[in-house]
Amino acid sequence: MSKIRAGIIGATGYAGAEIIKLLAFHPEVEIVFVGSRSYADQKLASIFGNLYEIVDLTCIDDDTERMKEEIYRLADQVDVIFTATPQGACASFVTKELLEKVKVIDLSADFRLKDVAVYEHWYKIEHKAPELIENAVYGLVEVNREKIPQARLLANPGCYTTCSILTAYPLVKEGLIDPDTLIVDALSGVSGAGRGGKVANLYCEVNESAKAYGVATHRHTPEIEEQLGYACGREITVTFTPHLAPMNRGILVTAYASLVRKSDGTLPSGEELRSVYSRYYDKERFIRVLPDGVCPETRFVEGSNYLDVNCKVDPRTGRVIMMGALDNLMKGAASQAVQNMNLMFGLPEETGISMAPVLP
Amino acid sequence: MSKIRAGIIGATGYAGAEIIKLLAFHPEVEIVFVGSRSYADQKLASIFGNLYEIVDLTCIDDDTERMKEEIYRLADQVDVIFTATPQGACASFVTKELLEKVKVIDLSADFRLKDVAVYEHWYKIEHKAPELIENAVYGLVEVNREKIPQARLLANPGCYTTCSILTAYPLVKEGLIDPDTLIVDALSGVSGAGRGGKVANLYCEVNESAKAYGVATHRHTPEIEEQLGYACGREITVTFTPHLAPMNRGILVTAYASLVRKSDGTLPSGEELRSVYSRYYDKERFIRVLPDGVCPETRFVEGSNYLDVNCKVDPRTGRVIMMGALDNLMKGAASQAVQNMNLMFGLPEETGISMAPVLP
Amino acid sequence: MSKIRAGIIGATGYAGAEIIKLLAFHPEVEIVFVGSRSYADQKLASIFGNLYEIVDLTCIDDDTERMKEEIYRLADQVDVIFTATPQGACASFVTKELLEKVKVIDLSADFRLKDVAVYEHWYKIEHKAPELIENAVYGLVEVNREKIPQARLLANPGCYTTCSILTAYPLVKEGLIDPDTLIVDALSGVSGAGRGGKVANLYCEVNESAKAYGVATHRHTPEIEEQLGYACGREITVTFTPHLAPMNRGILVTAYASLVRKSDGTLPSGEELRSVYSRYYDKERFIRVLPDGVCPETRFVEGSNYLDVNCKVDPRTGRVIMMGALDNLMKGAASQAVQNMNLMFGLPEETGISMAPVLP
Amino acid sequence: MSKIRAGIIGATGYAGAEIIKLLAFHPEVEIVFVGSRSYADQKLASIFGNLYEIVDLTCIDDDTERMKEEIYRLADQVDVIFTATPQGACASFVTKELLEKVKVIDLSADFRLKDVAVYEHWYKIEHKAPELIENAVYGLVEVNREKIPQARLLANPGCYTTCSILTAYPLVKEGLIDPDTLIVDALSGVSGAGRGGKVANLYCEVNESAKAYGVATHRHTPEIEEQLGYACGREITVTFTPHLAPMNRGILVTAYASLVRKSDGTLPSGEELRSVYSRYYDKERFIRVLPDGVCPETRFVEGSNYLDVNCKVDPRTGRVIMMGALDNLMKGAASQAVQNMNLMFGLPEETGISMAPVLP
C-alpha cells in the first residue's frame, strides 16, 4: 500500500507542530505540505528547532481567504488535510466538493456541535458551512469508534472536552450519577492557550500563578453537554470551570456529581463504580483505569495518547469525585487526530502514537 | 512601650521562616529565640540564605520531647511563642501553666477543631491537651475579630481553610446558597507540602504536573465544615478536593453551590451577590472584592496578607461559582499569625504585614 | 519636609511597575503621575492586579512624540521623573531646560555610556541628546556614591552590568586579575526580556529551556568594559555571554579571569581575595560577601536590593571564579533607581528598599 | 535473531527509568529484570506511573552487597546489564568472570577515567576493580565509535562531559584553539541531581533560582580533561563550572577559548570554524550543527538523543564561544547507553532512539 499523503493547515501552532512531529515518524504517512500564515515561506525547522534535520519542509501561505481557492489544488495532492486553525477558518473553506477529493480532520470546533445555533451562541461567529455539520463525525474514538471509518469530515474533540467526557462517560451512561449535578473543574497547561504573541501568555504573566477563566462561559461547555447528553439520552446542563496552571502541557479534570442511590437505598461503592470504568475501558488501548486510590497526574501522560482515569466515592456527601488526565496537545489534539486518521484509513488504531509518556 | 518578645518553634519549615522574616521587620517585635530540630545549633542564615546579614540567630534544639520541660524556661524570656510544628507537637507541650506565662500562636491544627473526636478521627493521633481546646480562639480575623484580643492560645487557621471559608462565608452566612451543595475545589503551591526531604516533593516529581490528592479525606475538610457550620447555624458537610500545582506559593479556591431562589422564585443576580461580598469585606484591610468579571489569580496576592475574592452566577445551572486566592505562607500561615499577634497585643492589625504583593 | 513628588514614564513594563510599588510604600515619596503608551487612560491596578486597592492611579499617555512637549508641563508637577522606557526614548525628550525643572532617573541605556559612538555602534540608533551625556551620572551606587547627590540626570545601570561590574570590581580595581582575560558568563530570568507580546517570550517558548543569546554582541558589554576600564585605569575588552533561564527574576554572574601572580610567583589565595571583597563591601548595606564556599543563588536575593558575591580560586588553572547574584528588577533596575533617588534627595540610602528577600 | 536480553540495576533513578522506557520500545530488546534497593518487590509502574500498562515488571532487590553474589545468577539470564548506580557500586561487583558471561554498560563514573589515582582523588572513594579499567571502553560514540563494538565493559560518559567534550572536540582536535584557555560554563536541569529525597532538591528549594555549584571541584572535570587531552595529544587543564537551572532536563554548555592565530596572523573566521564542525559532525546521525547565528536551546533536544552545537567568533577578544545542548537523561545518559548497546550488539546505531525532541 502506498503511503497516506497528508497536508497540515495551521502548522505553526502548538497542535499543528505536534501533528507534524507525529506524522513525520508515522510509518504509513508522507507529509506533502504544511501551511502557516505567520511563517509563510519559512522553513518549519527554523521555527521549531526540534525538527531540524528531521523535517525538511517550507510553510506555504495558508491565509484563510487564500485557502478558499487554493485548497482544491492542494486537495489534489493529498489524501487527508488536518486543519489546526482558529475557529471559523475550516468552515470557511471546506465544501462538499472538497470532501469528495480529500478527507478533512478539523481540530477546531467548527464541526463538533450538531446545533448550529448553539455554535453561534457560544463562539460568537456565524457558521459558514452549516450544511456539512450533519455528516461530520465527532472523533471521540472511545465513544464513537464505529462511525469514524466512514467519515469524510472529522471533528476532532477539544482538549478539555475529551478529558471531561471520557472521565464521566461510564457513570453517566450507566445512570449511576445524576447528570444535573455534574460539575467539571479542570485545569490546563499553557500550551492550550495557543502560540499567539499575547501579553497574557508571556512567561512572567503565567509562571508561578493559577487562575480560573471563562467561568460559566467557556466554549467547551456545550460540547461536553451534547456528548454526555447523548450518553444519558436527554439534554443536560453542566457547570464547567477551566483553570490555567503554570506548566507546558496537561489537562486535569476533577468532576463532581451526586450518586444515584440503588434500589435498596444505599450508595454504590467505589468498587462498583471502578468495575464500571473497567468494563468500559479495560479493552481500550489508550485509557488506563488507575489502581484504587491512585489519582491521575498529568506528568504520567505527558507526550502520549493516554488518558488516565479514576474515581473516589465520598460517602459523607453522597457524591463521587471523578478524575482524568491527558496531554492537551496529544490525546487532547494531535495524537487523537492521528488516532482518528488511522481509523479513517483502515490502519491499526495505535499506529504511530503508541509512545510511552515522557517522565520527568 | 517595650517591644514584644517572640520565640518561634519549628523555625526552619517554610511557615516558620516566613514568620521570622516578618517579625524581623516588625517595628514592635524582638525575636528572642528560634527553634529547630533538624538544624539545632546552626545559624538560621546558613539555612535561609535570604536572611544573611539580616537575622543573626542560631537555632536552639526544639525537639518535642525536650520542649516539654524546656518550654517553661523559654516562656520566661518571651511574650509570645509561635509554634510552626507538625500536628500534635504543640498539644504535647502546651499547658495551662504555660499559657499563664506566655501567649501561644499555634500554626498547626491542634487547637482548630472544637470536637476532639473529630480531630482524632481526621488526624489519626491522640490529642494530648483536650482540656485547652475550649478556650483556644480560632484566629480567622475577619470572622472572629472580637475574640482574638483575649486569646492566650490562638489556633491559626490552615491555608486551604482560610481561603475556603472566607471565599464562601458571606453567601453561607446570608443564606444565599444551599450549604449542602457546597463543593470546594482548591489548588495549592508546593510550599504547602512542607520542607521535609521527601521524594514526592522533589522538583522533578512536582514540576510540570498537576494532581488531586487527599480526595474526600483531606484534613482541612472538618475545619471548613465547622466554621461554615457556625455561619449557617447548623452542621454541614462539604466536598473538598485539594490539588497540587507546580508553583512555590498560592492557594486558589473555586467553590460551587446551588443558589437559594428568592421568594419570587428567581435567582439572586451576580450584582446582588457581589454587593453582599462588598458589605462584608469592603471595610476589611486585607480582603479585596475584585471588580465584576475579574477572577482572582494567585500571582496578585503572592508575598502579601491579601485575600482576593469574587463570584460569578451561572444562571443556566442555578449555581454560583465563588473564587478566592491567597498566599499559603502569608495569609494562609505566617502573616495571618502576625495579624493575630497584632490584635492580641493591641497593635493596629496591619502592623508589619502591609506590604504589597510581589509581581512577577 | 514635604514629600518628594515623583512621576514614572513607562510604568507598565516590569521595571516601571516595580518602581511604582516601591514608591507607593516609600515614606518620603508621593506618586503624581504614571505613564503608559499601551495602557493610556487605564487604571494601573487593572493591569497589575497586585496593586488593586493599593495604588489608585490611571495611566496618562506617554507616547514618546507626545512627551517631547508634554514633559515640561509634567515636570512642573514633580521633583523627579523615572523613565523606564525603550532605548532612545529618554534621550529624545530630555533637555537641559527640563533638567533645570526636574531630576531625571533614566533606566534605559541612553546615558550610561560616555562615548556616543560606542552607544550608537552597539544600540544601532542615533543618540538624540549627546550634549547631556557628560553631566549624566552613572548610578552604580557602591562605585560612584559621591557623584550621585549632585546628579540632575542619572543613568541607572543595567541589570547584567550591575551584577557583572560589582562582582568583578574589587579584584579588577586592586589589580589582582588580568582584565584582558575576563569572561563574564551570566544568566537572567525572563522578566529581563520585557513585557511586550512577543512569541519568543511566551510561557511555552521559554519554560523548561535554557539558551545563550546575543553572543559576542550583547549591548551590556560596552557598559561593563567602560566601568571596569575606569577601575583598572585603561581600556579593556571582555567577553560577555548572557543566557535566558526559566524563572521570573534573577541575574546570576559567573566570571572568570586569570589571577596575577604575586611578586614571589605564587597565586593569591582564596582568603586573600575574599579579604579584598570584604574590605570593599563589608560596609555596604546592600552587598553581602557570602561565607567561604557558599555560592550565590538568585532565590536568596529575590525581591530585594541585595547583591550577593563570592569567589573561588582554582589553583589548577590559575584562575579565579567570581560569582554574583541579584534581582534584575530590584538591584538591577527599580530598587537601585530608588537607592539613587534617595541619595539625590539627601535621604538615607536604604529608605523604602530595605526589605528582605522573599523565599521561596 | 533472538532479542537481546537486558537487565537494569538502579532502575528507579531517573536515568534507570529512562533506560527502561527506551528498552521497552526497542524492537530488538527484552527486559528480563529491573533492580532497585529502595523499591524492592514493588511494581515499577507503581513508582513511575507513566509506565502503567506499558511495563509490567517488579523490582528485585539490588542492594550492592547482595549483588556481589547475586549478579552471577542474574548474568546467566541476560546478555547485557545496565548499571545506573551510585559511584563505586558497579566497580564493587563487576569482575572478569562476570564480563565473560555478560556485557556491562555502566552509567556511573567507575570506569570512565583511565588513571585510578585521578578517580580516587576526585571521587574520594577507593576503586574496587582497578584491573578492569584498562579494557573498559569509553562510550562516547562520536569520538570512540570503532572501539565500542568490542567492549565487554562500557563506561557510558557523564551528561556534562558528553556535552562539553563534543562541543569543543573539533576545534581542540584541529588545534584551532588553545586548550589551556578552555573554560566550560555549563548548566543542568534538576534531574541531573538524582532522585534521592534531599531537601536541596525539593521543588521550593530549586524552583525560581539558579546557582553555580561544585565550583573548581566538580567530578566531571577530569573526564573532560582526559578526553580532550587525547584529542590534542597532551595533558590539559580546564576550568569547568556547573550550574543548576530550574527545569527538569537539559544540559547547556557555553565554552570559551582563545583562538590560535593562523600563520598570517589573522584569526580563523566563524565560517572556517563552522566548516570544521560540519566536517566532523555532518555525517553524525545525532549531532546537529545549527545554522550560522542560531544558538542551541535545551528545549529543542529534550526527549531525544540529539546534541545541538554551534560556535561564534568574538573578534574583539580573539576568543571563540562554543555552544552545545543535550538532554541529560538521554544523550547524557540513557539513550547514549542504548546507542552504545546497539553498537555492541551489531545493530544500527539509531535503533530505538530515533525519536524527535518533544516541544514544548
Side-chain angles (χ1 to χ4, degrees), chain A residues 185 225 243 254 256 316 319, chain B residues 185 225 243 254 256 316:
Chain A
D185 191 286
E225 292 176 342
H243 297 76
T254 305
Y256 305 88
R316 299 168 63 253
R319 296 191 186 104
Chain B
D185 191 286
E225 291 176 343
H243 297 75
T254 305
Y256 305 88
R316 301 168 62 253

Side-chain angles (χ1 to χ4, degrees), chain A residues 165-276:
Chain A
I165 295 167
L166 292 175
T167 296
Y169 182 73
L171 302 192
V172 171
K173 180 80 175 173
E174 294 294 314
L176 290 160
I177 57 176
D178 175 358
D180 291 327
T181 65
L182 186 62
I183 291 170
V184 179
D185 191 286
L187 63 80
S188 171
V190 184
S191 58
R195 205 167 158 269
K198 296 182 191 163
V199 169
N201 295 330
L202 291 178
Y203 184 85
C204 292
E205 301 291 310
V206 171
N207 188 36
E208 291 294 297
S209 192
K211 65 172 176 184
Y213 65 99
V215 179
T217 61
H218 192 275
R219 295 161 165 195
H220 283 182
T221 311
E223 193 178 332
I224 299 169
E225 292 176 342
E226 180 178 327
Q227 296 297 325
L228 290 180
Y230 296 150
C232 63
R234 64 175 174 86
E235 286 195 10
I236 63 169
T237 311
V238 308
T239 293
F240 169 66
T241 312
H243 297 76
L244 196 65
M247 52 193 203
N248 281 341
R249 293 166 177 247
I251 298 279
L252 187 75
V253 159
T254 305
Y256 305 88
S258 295
L259 289 162
V260 173
R261 288 185 181 270
K262 296 192 283 191
S263 51
D264 65 0
T266 61
L267 292 172
S269 68
E271 200 176 348
E272 287 172 286
L273 298 185
R274 286 177 34 78
S275 76
V276 171

Side-chain angles (χ1 to χ4, degrees), chain A residues 119-150:
Chain A
Y119 175 89
E120 296 186 342
H121 171 74
W122 288 84
Y123 287 88
K124 316 290 182 209
I125 48 176
E126 185 194 355
H127 200 294
K128 295 296 176 53
E131 70 283 3
L132 299 177
I133 293 176
E134 190 183 344
N135 287 325
V137 174
Y138 189 73
L140 191 60
V141 179
E142 290 79 5
V143 169
N144 249 8
R145 187 177 280 108
E146 328 74 56
K147 297 185 188 153
I148 293 165
Q150 290 73 44

Side-chain angles (χ1 to χ4, degrees), chain D residues 209-230:
Chain D
S209 192
K211 64 172 176 184
Y213 65 99
V215 178
T217 60
H218 193 275
R219 295 161 167 196
H220 282 182
T221 311
E223 194 178 332
I224 300 169
E225 291 176 342
E226 179 177 326
Q227 296 298 324
L228 290 181
Y230 296 150

Side-chain angles (χ1 to χ4, degrees), chain A residues 122 179-187 204-217 221-222 225 236-241 243-249 252-254 256-257 295-300 302 312-317 319 321 323 325 359-360, chain B residues 122 179-187 204-217 221-222 225 236-241 243-249 252-254 256-257 295-300 302 312-317 319 321 323 325 359-360:
Chain A
W122 288 84
D180 291 327
T181 65
L182 186 62
I183 291 170
V184 179
D185 191 286
L187 63 80
C204 292
E205 301 291 310
V206 171
N207 188 36
E208 291 294 297
S209 192
K211 65 172 176 184
Y213 65 99
V215 179
T217 61
T221 311
E225 292 176 342
I236 63 169
T237 311
V238 308
T239 293
F240 169 66
T241 312
H243 297 76
L244 196 65
M247 52 193 203
N248 281 341
R249 293 166 177 247
L252 187 75
V253 159
T254 305
Y256 305 88
C295 295
E297 308 187 24
T298 63
R299 64 179 173 141
F300 289 143
E302 189 177 325
K312 173 95 178 177
V313 169
D314 183 3
R316 299 168 63 253
T317 61
R319 296 191 186 104
I321 297 102
M323 298 170 279
L359 180 87
Chain B
W122 288 82
D180 291 326
T181 65
L182 186 62
I183 291 170
V184 179
D185 191 286
L187 63 81
C204 292
E205 302 291 311
V206 171
N207 188 36
E208 291 292 299
S209 193
K211 65 173 176 184
Y213 65 100
V215 178
T217 60
T221 311
E225 291 176 343
I236 63 169
T237 311
V238 307
T239 293
F240 169 66
T241 311
H243 297 75
L244 195 65
M247 53 194 203
N248 282 341
R249 292 165 178 247
L252 186 75
V253 159
T254 305
Y256 305 88
C295 295
E297 308 187 24
T298 63
R299 63 178 174 141
F300 289 143
E302 188 178 324
K312 173 94 178 176
V313 169
D314 182 3
R316 301 168 62 253
T317 61
R319 297 191 187 103
I321 297 102
M323 297 170 280
L359 181 86

